[in-house]
Amino acid sequence: CNQDRTQRGHWTRIAADARGGDAWVCWLRTPPETCVGRVLGRDAHPTLPATPASAGVVRKLAGEFVAPDASEDGVVGVFCVAPDEVDANG
């Protein structure tokens, strides 16, 4: 889920190895309860079925989340997108 520097570091190392440069982080700032609603509203997901236990997993991960910043290894910047900044009409 890339909720902390260590987990994101795996991806920035892959980017550096593949492209020889640094990476940008795209942070989709979706509220945790929106994520819970999506988990509970989907059918047949292979790892998080629509159950209260899965909602607990989402909330646990949200509580462990560390916001990304450009001081992380291999990161040159962070691009943040909040739900109200997305044009639902494309």
Side-chain angles (χ1 to χ4, degrees):
C1 292
N2 305 310
Q3 78 262 24
D4 61 31
R5 295 173 76 99
T6 300
Q7 288 191 8
R8 287 187 293 272
H10 298 295
W11 297 107
T12 56
R13 281 190 298 282
I14 290 170
D17 290 347
R19 299 179 44 137
D22 294 327
W24 280 79
V25 173
C26 180
W27 177 15
L28 305 175
R29 297 183 325 174
T30 306
E33 289 308 308
T34 299
C35 297
V36 168
R38 291 176 181 169
V39 166
L40 295 178
R42 63 187 178 194
D43 294 325
H45 191 275
T47 60
L48 284 176
T51 65
S54 293
V57 170
V58 172
R59 290 184 182 108
K60 178 181 180 292
L61 290 173
E64 296 172 351
F65 181 75
V66 177
D69 66 62
S71 71
E72 296 181 25
D73 290 340
V75 175
V76 295
V78 178
F79 181 72
C80 298
V81 180
D84 61 343
E85 297 172 331
V86 177
D87 181 0
N89 296 317

